[in-house]
Amino acid sequence: MNQSNSMSTKLEALNTRLLDYARQAGAIHADALIVTDIGESVSVRMGKIESVEREDSQGAGLRAFVESTGGLAFASASTSDLSDEGLRKLAEQTIAMARISEPDPDAVPPVGAMHPDAQALDDWRRKHPYKTHGWDTETAKEAALACEQAALSYDKAISNSDGAQASFGESCITYASSDGFVASFPNVSASLSVSVIAGSDEDMQTDYAYDQARVAATLRSADAIGREAAERTAKRLGASAYQGSKSCPIVFEPRVAKSLIGHLLSAINGRAVLQQRSFLADSLGKKIFPEFIHLVDDPDHPQGLGNRLFDGEGTACKACDIIAAGELKLFLTDRYAAGRLQQPSSGHARRGLTGDIGIGSSNVILQPGTDTPEAILQDIQSGILITELMGFGVNGVNGDYSRGAAGFLIENGVITSPVQEFTIAGNLLNMFANISHLGSDLTWFASTAVPTICVQGMTVAGQAE
Amino acid sequence: MLNLMIPATADDADLYLEQSSSESLALEEGRVKHVSASTHQGIGARVVCGETAGHAYTDRFETAALLEAAKAARAIAGQGQQRAPVAIHSQPSAHQLYLPENPASGLSMQDRKTLLESIDKLARSLDPRVKQVFASLSNSFDIVDIFTMSGQHLSDARPLVRLNVSVVVESGDKRETGSAGGGGRFTLSHIQQTDMVEHFTREAVRMALLNLDAIAAPAGPMPVVLGPGWPGILLHEAIGHGLEGDFNRKGTSVFSNKIGKQVAAAGVTVVDDGTIPNRRGSLNVDDEGTATSRTVLIENGILKGYMQDKQNARLMGMPATGNGRRESYADPVLPRMTNTFMLAGNDKPEDILASLDRGIYAVNFGGGQVDITSGKFVFTTSEAYLVEKGKIIAPVKGATLIGMGHEVLKKVSMVGNDLELDPGVGSCGKDGQSVPVGVGMPTIRVDELTVGGTEGGQS
């Protein structure tokens, strides 16, 4: 039995005990999450260690249901105190709060979810054996130093550094519900990032590069990450303020294209749909994208960091189509939203230690197209390649979109000069419908994979001509 | 334990103990459906030598875990002999800006429920187009104990309260939302005793209905008049972050080496003040035990100073200004803003609006963001109007405004006499850490900002 196994066993026992305390305090149903987390982060800057941070934390989050006139009422509470006394207090506090909460006839207690069976649990563990992240303070420090050094020495234009950071950690997450389901999984991660600066005084630019993986050995090399940061930063130097205002095609490189998928996912969140807080609330079964758009949610993908066997309510997860041939196939739901929308839960409950249950995807993959990014640019007479988006100008209720941006002018099919100080605006519904190209360059960002996306007819606003 | 972790080479070391409890009630579909609470405690140990810092965090209050954390911090940053032990003595904090009372005790759970239900009722009674009402009331109480290398022990008990109202309105096939809220460092009963509940509910409904009639915002550069209060987020984004000590020590801010230089129009004075009673961004002492203060950042257009924590202040040979903050024991200290605002000028707000030949009058905003290296910043309107010949024409849809931090304040041509602080809604993110902050501003005119609307772009 390795260390991770014994930790799992211990936390599962603790979690079962917490549910016992909840029952003793008056809960009819309950479920709980217990998480332990050990991690370290090494920051270096200009070739020297800037800081080492070591964290050792733990917590329990309990959701308890009580019978009340008019139905079931519930509350959630969390604590960092996993002692016997701490768990008892948590149970009592949660019950006291549940008694104040108002009954909700649609509340779904944690019984009878479509849990994975013992065989599925076993298969999953065999398929995803425990591995260590493989780093310690010393090796992480070396990686961070090498990464920064690669960035600083790649191009003469690089004048300063905001530092490099190598982080690694291991956590163990246990979920238990009062219908007897209990399971736990270790989670390991390692990440390496660097950010550098080119130029001086009022003509400075910065950019970064980053990678994240479960096992440090599978990260892109420190050298590759450093070079990417340097290359991105140097290319931006001398950016001028965009002149004029017009409507034109906008190319989102994968790093920023990812945010468009994020806006879609927020809008098909079943709870947002129920609350009428989504511009896609009435779009299920409708064609909201062109025919060539396919988006899937895959909870077991070799490259995804969002793999999971079950969601935050213990519901077994399975791969599903979100967009098929441009049509919206699914609202993401937990059991509550699913019940209200009269469909089975799609297995997208997301649970943290604190607060209520939310909704979130596992690994989301936008199927790539066949054009290289260069080929996409060739189709554009006059447009902008976006490499950075800023601000929060996205209205999820009506889809209005207006964000600050920076990138490169596209003129006669090729990239010419860096530009900044402009906004791009439109409405997400139109933007989705006006996607004209998908690149072949599918790129993974933790749990989202997306290629270059080209959207026609967005409004660009810049400086006076 | 503090003694055990300090090596002789240390420039600084401290221990930060934190006990934090919070509660939140949320109403949806006319019912208080979401009730949650959390209790967390932990300790952060830190040893600083020159530019290197070792941090260790644990939430296990067991002697062994604590000693391990202290040793870890020491091993990372320091070498050499242990320093001679110091005696610890308690120091009163410099200010008493809020009562050291758990805000939860100010209002029973039942009263909180009634308060949220009254918001639902009021919002729906104000207009039949109100279809959904969301209201939440949250409160937290954070008790910190800071032990410094010189043997000082400082304690601060920090209450924080926040009320939020948001509504969805429908008219035909149009759906819009509006929200309002506020709070500060006081007890929950304060909310009941003031007109906050009614005020924020009316505001949320008014804003949602206004959005139903909003026309597309114009696109392109134009003069912008910013209303008083929360639009001060302009200062937070455009110059505030760029004046935090760490970026300037590292030379990564567009404001590096600019002290004494003109960075804003004459008549523009900006301060960061952590000492205003009961404000969301205020603290009696910062998270390093330094008394908070009023720091002049820009005086009459000239850059005067940076916001500093102890480490960056020491490395730059400047005074610590009480701006060392951390989200929790499990995060490192960074120089952060408290309440950042522009002082009042002499112009009448109505004269400022009347000066606008064609432009935008923006009175409320969502969030903003800045790139401190290039200076570019954005912030997004949530209530704004198209103005022609000094008259309001129509409300416009939310639009992102973009500018350059080191240029925008040079374009301020009028400063109103109506300084207001925001209602207590701000949270600031930096390096993944979120802390409560405040902003404020009088009405001002900026001669040019780029407005990111959709109207007026030519193909």
Side-chain angles (χ1 to χ4, degrees), chain A residues 56 105 276 340 356 402, chain B residues 29 31 34 60 175 250 400:
Chain A
D56 169 2
Q276 299 289 304
R340 294 276 305 266
D356 209 354
S402 167
Chain B
E29 298 179 321
R31 289 177 210 195
H34 309 284
R60 285 179 294 147
R175 199 178 283 144
K250 297 172 186 173
T400 288

Side-chain angles (χ1 to χ4, degrees), chain A residues 321-401:
Chain A
D321 285 341
I322 295 175
I323 306 289
E327 185 187 317
L328 177 60
K329 303 299 263 186
L330 183 76
F331 287 136
L332 306 182
T333 54
D334 61 342
R335 296 179 70 208
Y336 173 83
R340 294 276 305 266
L341 293 166
Q342 299 180 325
Q343 62 174 65
S345 167
S346 67
H348 288 102
R350 171 161 288 173
R351 183 86 181 263
L353 281 179
T354 55
D356 209 354
I357 282 184
I359 288 176
S361 51
S362 61
N363 300 301
V364 170
I365 303 146
L366 178 60
Q367 303 298 349
T370 50
D371 296 335
T372 62
E374 292 74 25
I376 295 177
L377 298 182
Q378 278 166 20
D379 281 353
I380 297 169
Q381 271 289 307
S382 171
I384 308 178
L385 169 68
I386 305 294
T387 57
E388 182 190 17
L389 286 169
M390 291 181 79
F392 307 94
V394 181
N395 183 328
V397 177
N398 60 22
D400 283 345
Y401 184 98

Side-chain angles (χ1 to χ4, degrees), chain B residues 94-95 97 274-275 282-286 290-294 321-323 338:
Chain B
H95 313 291
L97 303 172
T275 69
S282 297
L283 297 171
N284 290 323
V285 291
D286 74 359
T290 307
T292 49
S293 64
R294 179 182 174 103
T321 53
N323 289 84
T338 58

Side-chain angles (χ1 to χ4, degrees), chain B residues 7 52 59 342 368 417 440:
Chain B
T52 302
D59 49 19
M342 184 188 293
N417 56 13

Side-chain angles (χ1 to χ4, degrees), chain A residues 248-329:
Chain A
C248 69
I250 295 293
V251 180
F252 297 85
E253 68 164 7
R255 181 185 280 199
V256 286
K258 172 176 173 273
S259 65
L260 299 180
I261 302 305
H263 302 321
L264 170 71
L265 295 174
S266 306
I268 61 166
N269 174 318
R271 291 195 175 213
V273 168
L274 278 177
Q275 297 167 348
Q276 299 289 304
R277 282 213 256 203
S278 160
F279 66 97
L280 294 178
D282 309 313
S283 294
L284 191 64
K286 291 191 185 151
K287 210 167 156 213
I288 55 170
F289 284 96
E291 192 83 18
F292 58 88
I293 302 286
H294 308 276
L295 184 75
V296 299
D297 182 81
D298 184 351
D300 188 9
H301 191 284
Q303 279 171 280
L305 296 187
N307 288 343
R308 58 192 187 192
L309 176 63
F310 55 88
D311 74 355
E313 290 178 298
T315 302
C317 295
K318 51 180 190 292
C320 51
D321 285 341
I322 295 175
I323 306 289
E327 185 187 317
L328 177 60
K329 303 299 263 186

